[in-house]
Structure formats: structure tokens, C-alpha cells
Amino acid sequence: MVQSWIKSVLWLACLLVLQAVHAHETHPEHSASALTVSVTADHGGRVWLAQVKQGQVFVSASDDAGKHFITEVAVNPVPMTIAAKAEARPNIAAGANGAVYVSWTEALQKNHAGNIWFARSLDGGKKFEAPYIVHQHREEIAHRDDAMHVAADGTITIAWLDKHDMLAAKAAGKSYDGAAIYYAVSRDQGKSFSPEQKLADHSCECCRIVMTGKPDGTVAVLWRHVFEGNERDHAMAEIGPVGKPVLVRASYGHWKIEGCPHHGAALAVGEGFGYHLAYFDGAGDKPGLRIARMDGQAWVTSPPRRFGDAKRNAGHPALLSVGDQVWLAWQEHDQHGADIVAMASSDGGRTWGAQVVMLHSASKLDYPQWLTLQGQATLAVNSAEKGLQLLPFTN
């Protein structure tokens, strides 16, 4: 009798341990990283920083190129579980007349489920209005990994990964690869958003979405897509003031992988043509980073050029383009530490200058982000050793 009781207790203890391990493994996005921040700069040269602390997004600003940041302001008054690790992080953008916009993903208890939240400040970041969920679909499923773009006219576009089409297909006994891309638009400075619309089916499940905009207000969205045969290359669509967005293929590596590589791309507008694309391609015997130009309305992509040291795990690129000037940065790391490497082009990406190590750290570094600060291309990198570093590119 005693032995039976002991066996029951041991079995229960093992079950509880297994449940705890399983819960930890299936909710990795619930662990916020102190390194994971978002940075932007407004037209006046003020630098804005968004970071997560104890379930709240905090925003602060610097008027001296990041040397000092003024008092932090909490965006969401009620703490929640916020996705802030690796490619998942809050987004921050500065608009006209002191407007500051923030979006983020709330991670829910159900595996990979989430909500996309938004908040705005119209007084230069002194206080934020009550945050709200952007999408009208509220079932506890995956709405996650949001991206935000603010156009010159104040139009705000937020896109995210969404799985309610996958669940609907499953309920109907149909197959559905990956997730979908949905987006919503605000034309009243973020006071409200129009009902969400589907941009595309069959996106990769975890790679970040990237967005950029043209002077005419067109917003381009780039993501890793699940093409036929489970090829995980990139797709793009333009959201314009009129007409329905059309999906086009943006990369042709034909990388077949059973799962999401957690490796998003970078995107910038080209001068007199389409776009600059930087991305990771795992296909073939030489996997690594690629840079290419998507030219004109025929959507013809130039042959991609390799860059970065694949042996040092080069990845997570960032792009900035101003006229014919283009800047490219990425992260490399090995057992000796991590580097942020950059290079520049003065002819629209046709040729590139030498690679420059912008920052080395013996510990971890966040992924690089480009700013235009006082007319100069500047890298923003958060480090475990020295905090946020703003590094002008001078080569």
C-alpha cells in the first residue's frame, strides 16, 4: 500500500515537471530580452527608443544623439506578456507635430497566440493615450510579429502574421501551409484603424515582416513565403491608395526547409527603380546573406550578391537608402564574440565599398538598425556591455 502511494506521488511529480518543461518550450516568446529594442529618429534629430520592462513598453527620447535619454514613459499602463526577443519586438515611429506611435504583440497563453496592440502620443511622448487592439478578429489565435510603417502624410499601416485562415482550413478538412499576412490602415493619426484585410496566404510562420514606403504613399511589404514545394523564399506586395495588392516573388533561392528559420529580410526603396532586398538564403551548398535589386514594374530581380561571413553566422541584415546612397549592415558572431559589420554603395547598389566592423562585443549584441541622424547614416545597436550605441557610418 505504501509502495503504491509512493509510486503515485513520484508519477505525479514527474508529470508536473514534464508539464513545466513543455510550457517553457512552447512559449519561448514570453521571455523578453533586455537587448531587444526599437529605435527611430524624427525630422528634428530627436532619437526615440522603445523597450520592454516588466510587461510594459517604455518610450524615451534623446536630444544629444543617444548620449542621454529623458525620463521613460510607460505606453501600456497595465502590464502584459509582450513579445520582445530576437526578431519579435515593439515598433516605434515618429510622425509630424510631435506624434509618436508604438505597436507591439501581446503573447497569450495559448501556444503562439497573440494580439496586436497600438498606442499613440500627440504631445511629443509626454504621455500616451489608452492603447487598443488593432484587429477586429479576437479569437485567441496567432496575431503576432507586427510591423509598422508611417507615411509622410501620416497614414499608418500595421501588418502581422495571422493564423485564423489556417484554423478555418483545418476545420474544413483542408491543408494550409504557414500563416497569412493581414494589415490594417489608419488615416486619422492612429485614432482608429480600418478593418483588417488579408494581404496574402501562406507566409512563413515566424520570420519578421519588413515594410517601406514610396513618396507617392505606396507601402511595400516583404516577408518570407511558403511557395509550392515548401520553398521558403521571399514575397512582396504593394499597398497603394487604390487597387488590390498583388503578390510577387522577390527571391529565387528555392530553399526547401520544414519549418521557419526565424530569419527576416531587409527592404529599402531604390532610386529610380524598385527596391533593395537583403535576406538570408539557406539553399544549396553556400547558404548565407544575399543583396539584390528588384528593378522596375516588371519585378525582375538582379542576380543576388553574397555578403557576410557565413562561417561566423552572418545574419539579420538592415538597409538604408537615400537617393543613390545605400547602406547595409548585419550581425556576425562566433565563440570569440559578436560584430556588427557594414558597407556602403554610392551607385544605387551596383557596386559596394569595403566591409567595416562597426562594433565588436565579447558578449551579445542586438540586431542592427539604421537611422538618418543629422543627415548622416547612423547605426543603432544595443549591447549587453555598453547599452545602446549610435554609430555614424564614416567610411
Side-chain angles (χ1 to χ4, degrees), residues 30 33-34 42 60 77 103 131 134 142 166 197 238 253 291 310 317 368 388:
H30 288 194
S33 169
D42 61 25
S60 54
S103 72
V134 172
M166 183 273 287
Q197 301 178 64
E238 292 180 323
I291 179 76
L388 182 65

Side-chain angles (χ1 to χ4, degrees), residues 83 109 125 135 139 159 166 179 231 261 290 343 345 370-371 378 389:
Q109 287 299 313
H135 44 88
E139 186 178 350
M166 183 273 287
E231 293 183 350
R290 308 283 191 268
M343 62 183 184
S345 170
W370 284 108
L371 307 175
T378 303
Q389 306 287 294

Side-chain angles (χ1 to χ4, degrees), residues 202-285:
H202 311 306
S203 68
C204 209
E205 299 93 331
C206 299
C207 291
R208 69 184 177 190
I209 303 167
V210 289
M211 305 171 73
T212 191
K214 291 183 174 180
D216 65 359
T218 299
V219 176
V221 186
L222 177 71
W223 66 93
R224 191 180 295 277
H225 195 76
V226 185
F227 289 98
E228 185 176 354
N230 205 27
E231 293 183 350
R232 306 251 172 168
D233 287 326
H234 293 86
M236 174 186 279
E238 292 180 323
I239 303 171
V242 296
K244 186 177 180 179
V246 177
L247 183 152
V248 295
R249 189 162 184 158
S251 66
Y252 294 84
H254 304 290
W255 184 20
K256 294 185 178 183
I257 177 174
E258 293 289 341
C260 182
H262 293 260
H263 210 138
L267 178 68
V269 175
E271 176 69 11
F273 64 95
Y275 301 94
H276 300 279
L277 316 174
Y279 57 93
F280 181 85
D281 187 352
D285 58 355

Side-chain angles (χ1 to χ4, degrees), residues 59 85 162 191 291 330 351 373:
V59 167
K85 189 176 183 180
D162 195 304
K191 183 179 180 180
I291 179 76
W330 63 96
T351 60
L373 193 58

Side-chain angles (χ1 to χ4, degrees), residues 80-83 88-91 102-108 112-119 131-139 141-148 156-163 180-184 193 196 209:
M80 63 180 69
T81 305
I82 298 173
R89 64 186 65 206
N91 302 287
V102 181
S103 72
W104 68 93
T105 296
E106 174 194 13
L108 302 176
H112 298 305
N115 287 321
I116 309 301
W117 288 78
F118 172 86
Y132 61 90
I133 296 174
V134 172
H135 44 88
Q136 296 186 7
H137 181 270
R138 298 298 174 86
E139 186 178 350
I141 59 143
H143 314 91
R144 53 184 289 155
D145 296 331
D146 54 301
M148 178 171 62
I156 306 167
T157 305
I158 297 179
W160 63 89
L161 301 178
D162 195 304
K163 278 206 167 183
I181 305 288
Y182 273 75
Y183 70 98
F193 279 83
E196 62 265 30
I209 303 167

Side-chain angles (χ1 to χ4, degrees), residues 308-320:
D309 189 346
K311 294 180 180 179
R312 298 195 68 237
N313 304 294
H316 306 286
L319 274 168
L320 174 66

